[in-house]
Amino acid sequence: ADTVGDEVSGSLDDLFKRLVQQNWVLPPTARRGMTAELRVEMLPDGTVTNASIIRSSGDRSFDDSAVAALRNIGRIPEMQQLDRATFDRMYRQRTLIFDPENFGL
């Protein structure tokens, strides 16, 4: 069961990354090497309930664009594939590093 859970969470990680990429509009002030650390919170139905800055990039436009990318995801229904314990452990509250180079932007 853990292997199946890991496979599902791996594909959800890919989906999550793709949704962030689709929703992230980099501001003109974005520069190479700029990063921001954010916390995203979700409900078990996949609804993003909060996105907040943990560590700023130092550029408000960049930080705001990262927060907006997470909030604009809205809901990821595929999260419902996970059992509650796996969801709580991996997705209920998650930290992400927003780095244009690692997100392929």
Side-chain angles (χ1 to χ4, degrees), residues 1-78:
D2 282 344
T3 303
V4 172
D6 290 345
E7 288 174 14
V8 170
S9 65
S11 64
L12 288 173
D13 283 346
D14 293 342
L15 173 62
F16 192 78
K17 183 176 179 178
R18 191 170 61 250
L19 291 170
V20 169
Q21 287 173 324
Q22 290 171 358
N23 284 287
W24 195 14
V25 178
L26 281 172
T29 57
R31 300 288 174 259
R32 175 166 276 191
M34 196 177 270
T35 62
E37 187 174 349
L38 281 80
R39 174 172 296 121
V40 61
E41 298 171 22
M42 275 191 241
L43 296 175
D45 71 353
T47 301
V48 174
T49 59
N50 191 36
S52 57
I53 299 290
I54 297 171
R55 187 180 46 79
S56 173
S57 67
D59 181 283
R60 185 178 177 112
S61 295
F62 183 91
D63 294 350
D64 289 348
S65 72
V67 169
L70 291 170
R71 289 188 177 156
N72 288 340
I73 289 172
R75 185 169 171 263
I76 307 170
E78 292 83 356

